[in-house]
Each structure stands twice: as C-alpha cells, then as structure tokens.
Amino acid sequence: MTELMPAEGVFSLIWLLIALPLAGAAVLLVGGRRTNAWGPLLGVLTVSASAVLGIVMLLQMMQNSPEQRTFDQTLFSWVFVGGFQADMAFQLDQLSMVFVLLITIVGALIHVYSLGYMSHDRDKRKFFGYLNLFVAAMLILVLANNYLLLYVGWEGVGLASYLLIGFWQHKPSAAAAAKKAFVINRIGDVGMSLAIMLMFVTFGTVSFQGVFGVADQASEGTLNAIGLLLLLAACGKSAQFPLQAWLLDAMEGPTPVSALIHAATMVTAGVYLIARSNAIFDVATVAATTVVVVGVVTVFIGAIIGSAKDDIKKSLAGSTMSQIGYMIAAAGLGPIGYVFAIFHLLTHGVFKAGLFLGAGSVMHGMNDNVDMRRYGALRKVMIVTYVTFAAGWLSIMGIPPFSGFFSKDEIIHAAFEQSVLTGVLLIIGAGVTGFYMTRMFIMTFLGKARWEDDVHPHESPKVMTVPLVLLAIGSLFLGMALLYWGNIETWLEPVVGYEAGESPISTTASIALSLLAVGLGVLVAYLMYQRRAVPIEAPHGSWLTRAARNELYGNEVNDVLVVQPTYYTSRWLVWFDNKGVDGFVNGSAAFVGGLSGRMRRYQTGFARSYALSMVGGAVLVVLALVLVRAS
Amino acid sequence: MSPLLASVGAETETAFTMPSINYYAIAPILILFGAAVVSVLVEAFVPQRGRRPVQLVIVVGSIVAALAVTIDLRGTRLVTGEGAIAVDGPTLLMWGALLVIGLLGALLMAERSIDPLGDAFAPRASALPGSEDEQEFTRRGFLQTEVWPFLLFALTGMLVFVASNDLLVMFVALEVMSLPLYLLAGMARRRRLLSQEAALKYFLLGAFSSAFFLYGAAMLYGFSGSVSLVAISDTLSAKTGEGSLVAIGIALLMVGLLFKVAAVPFHQWTPDVYQGAPTPVTGFMAATVKIAAFGALLRVLYVSLGGLRWDWEPMLWIIAALTMLVGSVVAITQTDIKRMLAYSSIAQAGFILVGVVAASPQGLASALFYLVAYAFTTIGTFAVITMVRDASGEATHLSKWAGLGKKSPVVAAVFSLFMLSLAGIPLTSGFVGKFGVFAAAIDSGNTWLVIVGVVASVIAAFFYVRVIVLMYFSDPTPDTASVVIPSAFTTIALTASAVMTIALGVFPQWLLDIITQAGVFIR
C-alpha cells in the first residue's frame, strides 16, 4: 500500500512547478508589446526552470522506497460548500512525475525551437505567453489531487489550445479551426463534468484518494457510467473516435504548437485520465471494453487518413490520432496495459515532437508549403533535419532498437494477452503505420525534387536543429532507457498496477509478426513512391483514398448527425423565442405599461379624492374582517 | 421605593398610585424629548447667528447619547410605566435603527454647500412664496433653525410609537411623530407652493387617518374595557364568540397604521408628499416613518391580535398583494424621480407586509431586517437626489439624468448600487431582505403571495434598472444635470448608507444575529 508523504524538502516546491510558467504567462500577456524583446526568452527560462526542478524532484523521489513516492501538498481549501469540498492540492507520484518531465523537458525544447521558428512574428511574446499558459495548465492537470482541480487544468489546456490554433487569427481557416476544436472539446468536457458530478453523488468526494479508496463499493452500473463519461472526456481531448474531427484542422496552428500540444502532451491527457482512474476502470468492465474498441477503431481511422493526406502536418496528425489509439487501447486492457500505455505515451511524446519539429523545419525551408508533392530530395540540402526525421520515422514504425519498438511491441503483446483479435488488429495497424510513414519519408526526403520555382530549401538555424538533435537522440535511446534502466513497469506499478498475463503467442512471435507487417507496409510504400515518380497533381485514387483524403467523411457525419439537427433546432428556437417568448414578454410589458398609464390617472392630486379612496378602502377592510369573522 | 409605594397603593385603593417607571429603560426617549425642549428654548433665547451651531450640537449630541443608552440597554426585556411602554428586543433594535437613520437624516438636513442660496429649507416659512419679504430673507441669509426641534420631536414620537404597549400611548406618539413631519414637509426653499400643498395634503389626510385609528381604539376599548394591548388580547381569547365590534375595531385601527406605511389603498398621499417635501426631509421621512409605522403595526398584530390571526390575515394578504402590484406598476410611468421613488416605497411596503403576514418569529425577523436595509438604502438614494441639480435647483425630472454616468461616474455608480438594492439584486442588502420575507412567507404557507411578490419584483426591476440604463447608456444632453460636490455632512451620510447597502448584502449575518437575539415582542 502506498503512503501519502507530506510534501517536505524539495517537494514543498511542487506549486512552483506550475507557478513559474504561470508567472511567465502573466508577465507576457499583461506586459503587452513592450515585452516583445525579452519576453520569448523569459518564456523559455520559466519552462526550463520547471524542467530542472522536475529533474531534481525525480532524483529525490528515487531515493525513497516505492511505497513512499506519493507526495501531497495542500495549499488551501478551494471550494467548501455544504458537503462538497475540493482543495487546491497537488499530488506528485510516479505517474505525475513522468508527465511533469515530459511536459517540461519537451516543452522547454519546443520553446527553444520556437525562438527560431517564430523569430519574425510580430506577436511572438503573445505566442510564448500562450505556450507558458499551456504548460502551466497541463501541469495543473497532471498534478491535481482531485478531479475538480484536474478539470481546471483540463479546461486550461483547452483554452490554450484554442488560442494557439487560432494564433494566426487573420486566416479565416485558423479561426474556424480553433472554434471547431473548442466546440468539439466542449462535448467531451460535458462528459467530464457529468463524471465529476456523478462521482460526488456516488462517493461524496472528488479527491483521488477518496474516490479510489471506495471505488469498488459502488454498483457496477454506476462505475460503468462514470467510466464511459470519462471516456467521452478522453475522446474529446485525445481526438479519439467519434470526436476525432478537430485534430486535423488544428494543424492550422504554428508547427511548434502542433508538436507540443497536438502531438506530445495535451492530446495524451485522455490517456492520463484513464490511467489515473484505473481504480474505476478495473471494476467497470463494460467501460474498459469500450475503451479498447474506441482505441482500435481510432488506430485505423488515423492510419488511413495519414496514408492519403498530402499535407505533411495533416498526415502527421492522422498518425498522432492513430498512435494515441494504441495508448487508449492499451489503457483499456486494464492492469496488463496501463504501464505500456504510459510507456508508449512517453516515447511517442518524444519522437512525435521530433517529427513535427522536423516537418516545421522542412516547411521553414520551403516557404511554409505543406504539400509533400512539392517536396522530394531534401536529404541533400537539409541534412540534420533528414537524419533526425529518419530517427523519428524508424522509431514510430517500431524498428529495433528505436524507442517506438519497445513501447509499441509491449502494447501488441499485452493485447494478445487479452484477445487475439485485438492483437491481430493492432499488428495490421502497425503495418499501415509502416506504409504511411515511409510514404511521407520518401516523398519528403528521397526521390526527385518537385520544388516550386521560387523555393530555395536550406537547413534551419541552430536554435531549431539543436532541439531536433536532442529529440532524435531521445527517439533512439528513450525506449531502452526506460525499459531496461528505468524499469518502467515497476516504477509505475504502485500507481496504476501491473500484472503480466498469459499470452497465447510468445514475445518473439509477436515481435516477428509486427516487424513483418511493418516490412510489408514499407515495401508497398517503396514500390508506390520510390520506384514510381510522384505526380505533382494528386491522382484521382481509389474510393478508399478519396474517402481518406476527406478524413473518412468524419466532418460530413458530424454535420448530418449533430450540426444540421442543432442548426434546425436553434432556428426553431429562435423562431419560438421571437414569436412565443418575446411576444409574451413584450405583450406583458405593453400590458403592464398600459395598466400603469391608466392607474396613474387615479392620482388626481385632489386631497378630497384621496380621502374618498381611504374611506372606500376602510369600508372594504371593515367588510372583509366582519365577513371573515362571521364565516 | 416603588415596590413599597405599590403595596401601599394596593391597600388603599382610592388613593392615587405613583406609577412605577424604570427611567433608565426609557432614557433614550427622555434624552431626545429633553433635547427637543431645550432646542425650542434655543430658538427663543439664542441670537439668530449662533443658533445653527448650537442646534447641531444639541441634535447630534442627543441622538448619539440616546444611541449609547440604547446600546447599553441591549438584552433588556421589560414593561414599564404601568404597562404603557414595552422595552424589548424589537423595540431596542428599532430604536437603534431610528436613531442611526435619524442621525444620517440630520446630516442631510444640515447640508449648506449644495444650494448656493443656503440649506434645503425656506429662510422663513411664514413668508409668502415669491414675496419681497422672502427675497429679503434669502438675501440676508436667514436660516429656518426651527427644523431642528421638529426633527427631535418627530424622532421622540417614533421612539415612543414603536415601544408603546397600549393604544392611547400609541395614539399620542403617532401625533407627536406626525405633526412635526407635516410642518417639515412644507418648508422647502424651492418650489414652495408644491411643498406647502404637500404639507397641507399630508396634514389633512394624516388627521383623517388618525381619526380612523382613534375610532378603532375606542371600539376595542368598548369591547375589552382596556386600551392595553395585553388586556385586549386576553379579553379576545376569553370572549371568543362576539364579532362585529372587534372586527370593526381591528379594521379601523389597521387603516390608521396602514396609512402610515403607505399601503394600498391608503397610499395616495405618498407621491405628492415625497415630491413636494424638501428632499432631505423626504429621505428622513421615507426611512424612519416606515420603521416606526411597521414597528407599531407588528406590535399590535403580534401582541394584541395574535390570537385572531385567521381573521386579519386574509385582509392583509390582499392589501400586501395590491400594495406590491400597484406600487410597482404605477412607478413605471413616472417621470419625476422623487415620485418614482414614492411609488417604489409603496411597493417596498408591500414586500415588508409579506413578511408581516407570515405571522411567525421568522416573519418578524425578516421584516425587521428588511426595514433596516431599506432605510439605509433609501436615505442614500435621497442624498444623491439632493446633489443632482441644475440652475433651478434639484433636477428631479428623469430626462435630466440621461448620461449622468458619463459626467459623474462615481455618484452614478453609487446611485446604481441603491437602485440594484431596491430591485433586490444579489450582493446588495435588498436581496437579503427580499429573500428573507419571501422565505418566511413560504414557510407560513403563503406561496401564492410570494409568486405575486416575485411578479411585482420583476415589474419593479424595470423602473429601477431604467434609471441605470438612462445614466450609463444615454449620451449627456445640454439638459443633463450636474452633480454638486457636497460638504462632509452629505458625504458622510451617503458613504454610510452605501457601505451599509453593500455590507448587509455581502455579510448580512451580524445583523441577522442581532435580530435573532432580539427575539419576539414581550407580552
């Protein structure tokens, strides 16, 4: 059993992890244009300081025995109404520790990269302010010790995401994308708030300790309801089916944003939520099974979309969706899967950030063109980007010894332990991953140059390539380091639980199968895009390609199922409001006004008529009393 | 000594018995009464120039002294003066409120910097309006310092009114309170004809209502053989069968009291008097008379007629509903802000009646809270009106308030606060008060009355908010009035009432605690 340790020593500074980027955001956003010169640097410094603090805490935490690694810091009683209590309190344990490190270290690297990427933007301090705000909100999300405070962070990252997707708001497409992300996320947030209310009604508390301590005493129906509501929340934030449609449009934001928020950190919040709520999902079997189904479906949706898109960022976004599908599926597997969901989340956070920043570096050299059909042969002119991108490519495909190999194969193996079907589907998904990533790699860096006339590709400056190199090193070694040196299973086990299951096939066999599938995918991509020339105009393609280009008609489905009904309901309500409600209100206002105008005429100004009305009133009062008394 | 005398009196029944009086318990009344008498002597013997400062010292000093004694008396529950005066929790609470509001009213009346011609009162009330005499007196800077003894006598009457435990004392107190107010209403410096008309109407109708009161008291005396509230109550429970004499007596008594609280259909004097009286007097009167009249009404109903509540409740339900609706509805079409506030005060009387007819300790407590909250807000409201002026004096026509928020943002904000409080918007005292009376009414089963009250509140919100809209969302015109910077007198009164309006809205608990400790009327 884990003990709750008081936050002493370095852990008394848990609040500072959040306060640093929050202060940075406050200074940058309140300070306005005058902070343009030094503001970006302040943004980098605050996040870096949090990262250093996080590393110090990690080292300190490793000194303690595994049962004594949960630290609790209560700042003050935040909401205390009737029986409802929520504290402004943080909980740092092994799970939140790895998230803190992911958020602050990757966050710091992306801040540094942004110094170069955004150097010419006139609103760059605003950009860094929003980024700092995001980091602070994300840290609140993972450090909260109760669901209500988690919800604050949850909404905070949603806000930051909205602001950053729409950062170039002068582009109508960016403004629309921001709005779309916000609206779809609201649907998930409804699930979150309902889940919190249901927890309070059921358990009388919303703190992690309180809920998890008594979770198994509630009825399974209630727990399934809570689990499904939490899943709805996770689907919104992590772009899982059926709330996946916003992520592709979110690529309208600056590329560092796509890397930090829409690849490495925020979109994985759903995985965190499910892993954190493991006590609920362990008992809520229906909800857990639904989680697996949603994850597997999204693996394919994302992969298929990623295979057809010619926009490098949208292709990567499809890939992100797909990879998070793996994590969600793993989290749905229960105690055999949680640790690997988190493991893949960490490795994915690093290599996908590297891939996005690599894409950003390419766009930087290609006049911000995102069409891969106008790339090609960039390996010669962008050598650092090329090599680091290759590291990400090999890692996401799961080629040993790159990071993705270890984490993805653990998930596939765990899936086999629960059901052969899930395992097979995930292996097929790995094959598709091999296809679309190779396609992207070939179209961008290999083959013949298909550049537009006025484009002169060049390598990006050091401030951008150094983070790329660091993330590439992470893509290469992080998997090994976490598995063999960090013992990720035993590290996370006290928080999320871990038990190895019985697999119908051996580890070697599942590795071999998935490598075979990836190899097939790579081969097909090689044949299609390396052996044949890539046309500049996209060919008509098969029905599947066309469907995938249209994002599998997710927008159309949303339109028919949600948007049109809402639109017509709202039109009807407006009509009803104009005719019915306003008619009633204006009618009664006119009635009262008319009545008032009539009644004031009785105020004649003559004392005699006043006296008369007094007499009349007195007579009525006397009559009333006499009658009441007589009856 | 007095017990001894009392025992002697018991032995020889024909001899005159010295009434037993606890002088300290009624010291606030005695202090104000003594000060009022001294104040009259000051008018007679102190030279013209020196009167104002001397009067101010007497007024402020006596009110503060009476307030100090009232505070010292807290916890007292006794009946003195052979059962004529009851000093109990509600009495002391209302004394305290009356004295504080009276002090704020005195500050408004003492203001001399707003009107370039002097204070709010005619230099010589006896001079004919528009006559050469009047101009001469104005030129020489005369001040009518008789307002100060009037103020003290009126306050004395109010203190006795809320404490009186028999109908005869109550009637005397009613007159002591009312007569000075009739005079004060007629002493405005500007628009004197309107002011004198108001005073005359107030006097005529007030006398008329006093007659009703007296007649009702006589009926009840005829029935029970006593004017004591407790004795009437005892007789009522002993002789249950007999009907009409009691019913007529109660009805006429009620008419007299409902006139003073301005309940429909006995409300028609209110707009004319509020508009015509000098604004500081209107503020003082609107706040204090409401407390005093409701105090007496509550005492009669709870102490004397509590056993008959099934008889008088239906009548008061209807009057409360009518008062709320008529006050709110007619206020909508008013164009003069003082008249609008007069109708507002009628509607507010209806809301307080909702608490009164709840006929429960909770109803009593909620009505008391409402009265205190309303009194502070009202005196502040009229304080602002004294400051909003144009060349001809106070700019009471609503069109002249357009765009005031842009010309004088602070004063407009304070006035908006008072309007929101009167409308009963949360975080102001008005909300807590309204919530209290409605909650008490629901607990007593008068849900339909609360529904009427909520409808009336919605209608009332319209004209309160309209003033805010007018001040902030219209552009100033050449006709827009300007705000005159007052001296410390008005500033203190205005600040105190604004602070109390917010304080009772945000932290109402301390006053609720005091009211809870005050408990119910002594029998």
Side-chain angles (χ1 to χ4, degrees), chain B residues 47-53 112 115-124 132-145 189:
Chain B
Q48 166 82 9
R49 292 266 159 235
R51 283 185 205 158
R52 183 180 142 91
R112 219 166 33 160
D115 196 322
L117 301 181
D119 59 11
F121 301 99
R124 279 288 177 272
E132 279 177 24
D133 282 355
E134 186 191 37
Q135 286 162 15
E136 173 69 10
F137 292 138
T138 306
R139 200 179 50 71
R140 286 165 64 179
F142 279 11
L143 293 178
Q144 183 91 45
T145 42
R189 179 182 285 273

Side-chain angles (χ1 to χ4, degrees), chain A residues 592-593 595-597 599-600 602-618 620-626 628-629, chain B residues 201 205 208-209 212 240 242-243 247-248 250-251 255 259 265-266 268 271-272 308 310-312 315 319 326 329-330 332-333 339 343 459:
Chain A
V592 172
L595 193 65
S596 178
M599 280 165 68
R600 68 184 293 202
Y602 292 98
Q603 189 76 17
T604 52
F606 294 120
R608 54 179 185 268
S609 73
Y610 296 175
L612 189 65
S613 85
M614 279 175 70
V615 172
L620 289 179
V621 169
V622 169
L623 277 180
L625 270 171
V626 170
V628 169
R629 215 169 146 68
Chain B
K201 279 180 187 167
L205 297 169
F208 197 42
S209 81
F212 278 108
T240 45
E242 295 162 43
I248 296 171
I250 294 174
V255 171
F259 174 86
F266 316 107
Q268 286 182 306
D272 295 6
L308 292 183
W310 303 115
D311 294 343
W312 51 259
M315 179 267 291
I319 288 190
V326 171
V329 168
V330 183
I332 287 179
T333 41
R339 281 185 89 81
Y343 282 105
I459 299 172

Side-chain angles (χ1 to χ4, degrees), chain B residues 176-266:
Chain B
V176 172
M177 156 179 117
S178 301
L179 291 170
L181 288 178
Y182 302 149
L183 288 165
L184 281 172
M187 293 170 67
R189 179 182 285 273
R190 291 169 187 266
R191 287 184 243 176
R192 291 190 60 201
L193 285 174
L194 197 66
S195 173
Q196 294 183 348
E197 182 188 330
L200 192 63
K201 279 180 187 167
Y202 195 15
F203 168 67
L204 283 174
L205 297 169
F208 197 42
S209 81
S210 295
F212 278 108
F213 182 92
L214 201 54
Y215 202 16
M219 292 286 191
L220 289 175
Y221 178 77
F223 169 75
S224 63
S226 169
V227 289
S228 154
L229 295 183
V230 180
I232 293 172
S233 165
D234 291 343
T235 320
L236 280 172
S237 50
K239 303 201 285 187
T240 45
E242 295 162 43
S244 52
L245 194 62
V246 177
I248 296 171
I250 294 174
L252 298 180
L253 202 62
M254 288 295 111
V255 171
L257 291 171
L258 289 171
F259 174 86
K260 283 289 163 197
V261 305
V264 176
F266 316 107

Side-chain angles (χ1 to χ4, degrees), chain A residues 60 64 143 153 216 536:
Chain A
Q60 187 66 37
N64 284 19
L143 284 170
D216 47 358
I536 288 176

Side-chain angles (χ1 to χ4, degrees), chain A residues 416-471:
Chain A
F416 270 114
E417 288 168 12
Q418 206 206 34
S419 113
V420 177
L421 178 66
T422 317
V424 171
L425 286 172
L426 291 185
I427 282 185
I428 298 174
V432 186
T433 310
F435 171 75
Y436 70 72
M437 282 312 298
T438 310
R439 171 178 176 269
M440 183 190 298
F441 191 71
I442 291 173
M443 284 174 84
T444 306
F445 292 103
L446 309 180
K448 292 207 169 64
R450 302 177 297 277
W451 308 337
E452 284 171 330
D453 295 340
D454 54 343
V455 168
H456 306 287
H458 55 87
E459 186 56 278
S460 299
K462 278 269 179 340
V463 71
M464 289 165 71
T465 53
V466 169
L468 282 178
V469 170
L470 292 174
L471 288 168

